Amino acid sequence: MCHFLQRSTILSFPKICNILWRLHHTSISQMCSCRKTISDEKYQDPFQLGRKDLKNLYEDIKKELLVSTAELREMCEYYFDGKGKAFRPMIVVLMARACNIHHNNSREMQASQRSVAVIAEMIHTASLVHDDVIDDANSRRGKMTVNQIWGERKAVLAGDFILSAASVALARIGNTTIISVLTQVIEDLVRGEFLQLGSKENENERFAHYLEKTFKKTASLIANSCKAEEFLIMV
């Protein structure tokens, strides 16, 4: 029996090698073909796809910051100078477009969907103002921070004012579900900042702590803003 098995194995080895050789070269051929197909496809820049929807984004944000005091207005508008990447509102408008096409094959954005993108950028920027105070930061986006120019106390108030203006814009959408989803972002930002101020001794706990902190400080805004876009098409 052992002799038979040994003989079968020896006899089948060349066949196995031949099969493996064919599989290897077939896989490489398929991979090359796949790569060629992908490379031949026209790459679309996501920032170009959402460019129309984000036109005049910062001008519209400044209209939301209705401030009578010149100094406070200057502080609130300081980071809305168009030099940011607008990464978060870009993701939000692309999600809105994807939801609209999937839901009713529409390529047009609703006004309320664009408002979510505006609000997301306002909440994000308000958090930057507050973070700079907490971190005692000297510069952001290649220029001095709000707290360095006007002082920490005024910077905190400016961040609060941007958040209040975002809340007013959010209330105008008139959907309680959307309000609940986006106000969760503000709660998460605060909790995330508290988590950042603390730490864990155990390595596993430290990593879990880091993931939770990062979600609340960064990912929650993107995730909940995209969730809001999904809810809006169900209205």
Side-chain angles (χ1 to χ4, degrees), residues 79 132 135-140 143-149:
Y79 286 151
D132 287 344
D135 300 336
D136 194 24
N138 297 317
S139 65
R140 181 175 292 278
K143 61 182 184 180
M144 292 180 66
T145 55
V146 173
N147 51 291
Q148 287 295 317
I149 299 173

Side-chain angles (χ1 to χ4, degrees), residues 17 48 68 104 107 111 124 128 135 151 153 156 165 167 175 192 215:
C17 288
Q48 289 298 324
S68 57
N104 54 19
R107 294 185 177 273
H124 170 62
L128 296 184
D135 300 336
R153 293 181 181 181
V156 170
S167 299
N175 184 301
F215 173 80

Side-chain angles (χ1 to χ4, degrees), residues 95-173:
M95 174 58 76
R97 280 187 167 276
C99 288
N100 290 348
I101 290 173
H102 179 74
H103 182 66
N104 54 19
N105 203 29
S106 172
R107 294 185 177 273
E108 297 299 320
M109 276 190 67
Q110 303 173 20
S112 57
Q113 289 179 311
R114 188 177 184 280
S115 293
V116 171
V118 170
I119 292 164
E121 184 68 358
M122 294 177 73
I123 293 174
H124 170 62
T125 303
S127 73
L128 296 184
V129 176
H130 286 155
D131 281 354
D132 287 344
V133 173
I134 293 170
D135 300 336
D136 194 24
N138 297 317
S139 65
R140 181 175 292 278
R141 297 174 182 170
K143 61 182 184 180
M144 292 180 66
T145 55
V146 173
N147 51 291
Q148 287 295 317
I149 299 173
W150 287 280
E152 292 183 355
R153 293 181 181 181
K154 289 183 177 180
V156 170
L157 295 174
D160 290 346
F161 190 89
I162 296 170
L163 278 178
S164 68
S167 299
V168 171
L170 179 57
R172 278 204 307 272
I173 294 177

Side-chain angles (χ1 to χ4, degrees), residues 17-95:
C17 288
N18 187 40
I19 292 169
L20 291 174
W21 184 88
R22 288 182 180 181
L23 284 173
H24 172 69
H25 284 274
T26 302
S27 300
I28 290 176
S29 176
Q30 289 176 344
M31 285 172 64
C32 291
S33 175
C34 181
R35 283 194 191 123
K36 186 177 179 182
T37 304
I38 293 171
S39 63
D40 288 344
E41 291 179 359
K42 186 178 180 182
Y43 171 74
Q44 288 187 298
D45 185 348
F47 282 88
Q48 289 298 324
L49 287 174
R51 185 177 180 182
K52 183 181 75 172
D53 300 314
L54 293 182
K55 186 178 180 181
N56 300 323
L57 171 72
Y58 293 108
E59 287 77 3
D60 292 341
I61 289 176
K62 289 176 183 179
K63 290 176 183 176
E64 298 289 345
L65 300 170
L66 301 174
V67 191
S68 57
T69 307
E71 184 182 35
L72 181 57
R73 181 172 61 251
E74 187 179 0
M75 292 171 64
C76 291
E77 295 180 356
Y78 186 66
Y79 286 151
F80 296 116
D81 54 6
K83 294 181 179 179
K85 296 183 292 293
F87 175 72
R88 288 154 188 81
M90 179 60 67
I91 291 179
V92 174
V93 297
L94 291 178
M95 174 58 76

Side-chain angles (χ1 to χ4, degrees), residues 6-20:
Q6 185 179 11
R7 186 181 175 202
S8 299
T9 304
I10 293 170
L11 289 172
S12 63
F13 182 74
K15 293 182 179 179
I16 293 171
C17 288
N18 187 40
I19 292 169
L20 291 174

